[in-house]
Amino acid sequence: GGPTMPIAHIHILEGRTTEQKKKLIEEVTGAIHSSIGADKSKIKILLHEIPEDDWATGGITKREENQ
């Protein structure tokens, strides 16, 4: 028994550097570990990078918003 491994899905816009994404992964892993006691080696983080044309709020894409 015991709980299964935690899996965190994070959706972000494309454009972050490898270093920024690595820091995000490390900090989210640490937060999950400290909040629920999960073994760090069992924590899965999945980053979903969304293009500006595929991210919209109120019918306006991020690309349109940034023009």
Side-chain angles (χ1 to χ4, degrees):
T4 59
M5 66 187 151
I7 302 172
H9 291 262
I10 302 170
H11 295 81
I12 59 174
L13 284 169
E14 285 181 331
R16 290 352 190 270
T17 66
T18 299
E19 294 78 22
Q20 288 173 316
K21 291 184 283 186
K22 179 148 179 53
K23 182 174 181 175
L24 175 61
I25 289 167
E26 290 170 352
E27 292 194 14
V28 170
T29 299
I32 292 171
H33 170 71
S34 65
S35 63
I36 65 172
D39 182 342
K40 284 186 178 183
S41 69
K42 304 283 188 204
I43 298 168
K44 309 289 186 204
I45 307 293
L46 301 172
L47 292 182
H48 304 277
E49 294 186 90
I50 312 299
E52 286 187 339
D53 289 327
D54 297 340
W55 185 298
T57 303
I60 308 294
T61 67
K62 268 306 206 191
R63 184 177 310 281
E64 292 170 320
E65 198 176 285
N66 292 333
Q67 289 178 351

